[in-house]
Amino acid sequence: MELNNAITIDGPVASGKTTVGKQLAEKLGYQFLDTGIMYRAVTLAALEDGIDLQNENAVSEKAEQIRIEILPPTKSDGRQNDVYINGMEVTTKLWEDNVRDAVSLVSSYKRVRQAMTEMQRQIGSQGKIVMVGRDIGTVVLPDARYKFFLIASVEERARRRFEEIKASGKKADLTEIKYALEERDQKDSSRKLAPLVAAQDAKIIDTNGKTVQEVVTEMLYLIQEE
């Protein structure tokens, strides 16, 4: 089934996917989903249950058992959605350091990705959605009509992340951020399961030096051009 009104946006961490995707969805009146939230939810659930994250089987079982709900935001504190795990609201916990540091490992597990992919496909099948991640156009919604892949230099992405952290009132080290991004890029692009790669039919957009509005405008032009 071709998803004529599904839009996928993939790309490396801090390439602008989430901010751009949310604005694009608002312009089109579409639902928005940052799929990375779902992997953070699994990570948080495993951590709170005291599961050894190196135990792939135990983490995978948790991913297959939990119920994740992603709803429109009810607070204007920067969140993209309200997130519930088994009926409990956990939104702010998803951005804690322990979750951030472990989500890459958890998201590399085959059964975890299979469980999340199935959830994401169910959401995508409803149509009129902008779905953001790292394997949406290649694995989750390969039949989506509109696919984008955002790129930016690691220096540009590190600067963006640095400014985000500073704006939140936390301390940040630009060199450390750049190193962390390079490490994450290597992990995401070299993993055997659903590696970070642009779909063959995706439109590549270089976001270096561009504002969010400029990128959204470029996407809208490419969509309307077809």
Side-chain angles (χ1 to χ4, degrees), residues 8 38 44 55 58 61 67 69 79 84 90 101 103-104 108 112-114 126 142 153 163 167 173 187 189 192:
T8 69
M38 301 175 77
L44 175 64
N55 186 332
E61 286 183 357
R67 178 167 54 90
E69 295 175 277
R79 67 180 64 190
Y84 291 78
V90 298
D101 294 341
V103 67
S104 184
S108 71
V112 171
R113 296 202 74 85
Q114 289 174 335
Q126 299 169 17
S153 68
E163 294 298 334
D173 183 285
K187 289 180 180 178
S189 60
K192 293 181 180 179

Side-chain angles (χ1 to χ4, degrees), residues 36-86:
I37 287 177
M38 301 175 77
Y39 291 101
R40 285 177 176 265
V42 174
T43 304
L44 175 64
L47 285 168
E48 292 197 331
D49 279 6
I51 295 173
D52 179 1
L53 298 188
Q54 299 292 333
N55 186 332
E56 182 173 351
N57 187 59
V59 175
S60 298
E61 286 183 357
K62 174 57 64 175
E64 292 164 349
Q65 294 167 358
I66 66 173
R67 178 167 54 90
I68 301 172
E69 295 175 277
I70 302 175
L71 304 175
T74 56
K75 296 180 181 178
S76 56
D77 58 0
R79 67 180 64 190
Q80 306 292 343
N81 302 94
D82 284 354
V83 183
Y84 291 78
I85 298 177
N86 296 332

Side-chain angles (χ1 to χ4, degrees), residues 99-132:
V99 174
R100 180 203 63 197
D101 294 341
V103 67
S104 184
L105 173 63
V106 170
S107 64
S108 71
Y109 293 149
K110 182 177 181 180
R111 285 167 53 197
V112 171
R113 296 202 74 85
Q114 289 174 335
M116 295 304 102
T117 294
E118 181 57 33
M119 290 185 194
Q120 292 156 16
R121 284 176 176 163
Q122 289 176 5
I123 296 170
S125 68
Q126 299 169 17
K128 290 192 175 182
I129 188 166
V130 175
M131 194 175 292
V132 170

Side-chain angles (χ1 to χ4, degrees), residues 2 32 44 97 108 111 132 135 137 146 170 181 191 202:
E2 184 178 11
F32 171 75
L44 175 64
D97 290 346
S108 71
R111 285 167 53 197
V132 170
D135 65 346
Y146 303 108
K170 297 180 180 179
L181 290 179
R191 69 187 179 211

Side-chain angles (χ1 to χ4, degrees), residues 3-9 21-33 72 81 124 126-131 145-146 148 220 223:
L3 299 168
N4 288 320
N5 52 9
I7 298 171
T8 69
I9 305 176
K22 185 168 178 55
Q23 287 202 19
L24 180 64
E26 290 174 352
K27 291 279 188 182
L28 296 170
Y30 279 22
Q31 181 183 357
F32 171 75
L33 175 62
N81 302 94
Q126 299 169 17
K128 290 192 175 182
I129 188 166
V130 175
M131 194 175 292
R145 181 172 181 181
Y146 303 108
F148 297 98
L220 287 170
I223 291 170

Side-chain angles (χ1 to χ4, degrees), residues 160-172:
R160 291 173 184 170
R161 180 56 54 87
F162 177 75
E163 294 298 334
E164 287 175 3
I165 296 172
K166 278 181 59 181
S168 69
K170 297 180 180 179
K171 292 184 178 180

